[in-house]
């Protein structure tokens, strides 16, 4: 079964606007990661946030983590056409190396 | 620096045929894994390995075998292909030691079983 569920499943916005995607998970985690997948390609790691962190930034990306609600959000500011992709959250539990992925959000940036 | 290399990129099999999906990484990563990606279901873990000689099952291991004789290679074997195994398969690796190290993915193998 999937650990993470992204919301929304699909999102279309105008270039320049901000995009927000949410991820909910079920069990306690060591860390949560976000990945991007361009069509026909493998996933690329974007950012990792640990369970004792509440917010993290990387360039135009901002990730928040609320462990009490078992949820995370990914904000992409000032979106560009090149941001069009699917975005996945993935959770890493304790005591193992396995990473469990959610079902993804398909983001489309309209030029 | 090639990273994670998967071969072949595309494959069509008939039901009952066998094949091996190849995965090689040149980053000296100890951890390697195989995922399958199906529409609407995200990525599901098939098998993983934390080092040469060590493998374990993931979420959906049935119908697949793996072995890890070297650090670099982690092949995935389909013993008797079924239409339900039609999917895109991704190999990924990481360097554990730092908890939750990011995964490095190959570009996938698109498999169709008829």
């Amino acid at each position: 079964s999937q650990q993470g569920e992204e919301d929304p499943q699909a999102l279309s916005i105008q270039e320049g606007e901000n995009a927000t995607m949410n991820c909910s998970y079920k069990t306690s985690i060591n860390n949560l990661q976000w990945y991007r997948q361009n069509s026909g390609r493998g996933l690329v790691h974007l950012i990792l946030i640990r369970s004792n962190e509440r917010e993290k930034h990387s360039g135009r990306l901002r990730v928040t983590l609320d462990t009490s609600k078992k949820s995370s959000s990914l904000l992409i500011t000032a979106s560009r056409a090149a941001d069009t992709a699917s975005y996945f959250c993935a959770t890493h539990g304790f005591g193992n190396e396995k990473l469990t992925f959610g079902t993804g959000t398909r983001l489309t940036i309209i030029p | 620096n090639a990273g994670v290399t998967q071969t072949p990129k595309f494959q069509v099999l008939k039901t009952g045929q066998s094949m091996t999906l190849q995965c090689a990484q040149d980053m000296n990563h100890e951890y390697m894994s195989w995922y399958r990606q199906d529409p609407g279901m995200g990525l599901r873990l098939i098998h993983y390995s934390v080092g040469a000689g060590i493998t374990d099952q993931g979420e959906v291991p049935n119908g697949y075998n793996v072995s890890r004789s070297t650090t670099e290679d982690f092949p995935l074997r389909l013993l008797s292909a079924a239409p339900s195994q039609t999917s895109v398969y991704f190999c990924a690796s990481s360097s554990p030691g730092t908890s939750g190290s990011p995964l490095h993915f190959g570009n996938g193998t698109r498999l169709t079983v008829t």
Side-chain angles (χ1 to χ4, degrees):
Chain A
S1 62
Q2 300 299 126
Q3 164 73 313
E5 295 288 338
E6 282 92 338
D7 172 59
Q9 291 186 337
L11 178 63
S12 292
I13 61 173
Q14 296 287 333
E15 191 170 18
E17 294 181 338
N18 296 340
T20 299
M21 289 158 272
N22 302 297
C23 169
S24 60
Y25 57 92
K26 299 173 184 174
T27 60
S28 297
I29 61 170
N30 181 313
N31 65 72
L32 186 145
Q33 304 178 24
W34 285 90
Y35 288 78
R36 183 187 74 230
Q37 184 182 32
N38 292 96
S39 181
R41 305 298 297 268
L43 281 71
V44 175
H45 178 259
L46 295 175
I47 195 165
L48 179 154
I49 186 165
R50 301 194 185 282
S51 59
N52 61 352
E53 298 176 311
R54 292 297 168 257
E55 187 171 314
K56 205 161 184 180
H57 297 255
S58 177
R60 294 184 296 112
L61 305 180
R62 172 177 167 256
V63 169
T64 62
L65 179 64
D66 187 335
T67 53
S68 67
K69 295 181 179 179
K70 291 186 171 57
S71 67
S72 174
S73 67
L74 171 66
L75 169 68
I76 303 174
T77 60
S79 63
R80 305 168 181 169
D83 294 328
T84 293
S86 292
Y87 292 81
F88 295 87
C89 69
T91 54
H92 181 238
F94 293 95
N96 63 75
E97 294 296 331
K98 291 188 288 185
L99 204 58
T100 304
F101 285 82
T103 52
T105 292
R106 182 166 184 80
L107 175 65
T108 301
I109 307 301
I110 304 167
Chain B
N1 191 351
V4 178
T5 303
Q6 290 184 238
T7 57
K9 292 185 179 179
F10 301 94
Q11 184 70 50
V12 178
L13 291 178
K14 295 186 177 179
T15 297
Q17 288 185 318
S18 63
M19 79 159 296
T20 299
L21 281 63
Q22 301 291 344
C23 176
Q25 52 92 8
D26 61 0
M27 297 172 283
N28 202 32
H29 285 169
E30 296 176 28
Y31 178 83
M32 296 186 74
S33 56
W34 278 100
Y35 288 87
R36 60 178 288 173
Q37 184 176 31
D38 302 291
M41 300 197 69
L43 279 80
R44 292 181 292 169
L45 182 64
I46 305 172
H47 285 285
Y48 66 99
S49 169
V50 297
I54 305 168
T55 63
D56 206 346
Q57 296 181 348
E59 183 185 357
V60 288
N62 292 341
Y64 308 95
N65 277 0
V66 292
S67 60
R68 184 92 179 272
S69 56
T70 67
T71 299
E72 295 78 18
D73 301 297
F74 191 43
L76 178 71
R77 280 182 285 276
L78 282 70
L79 300 178
S80 179
S84 61
Q85 294 178 305
T86 293
S87 187
V88 181
Y89 291 85
F90 288 99
C91 179
S93 71
S94 70
S95 181
T98 301
S99 180
S101 299
L103 287 176
H104 298 255
F105 280 83
N107 282 326
T109 294
R110 186 175 294 275
L111 175 67
T112 302
V113 183
T114 62

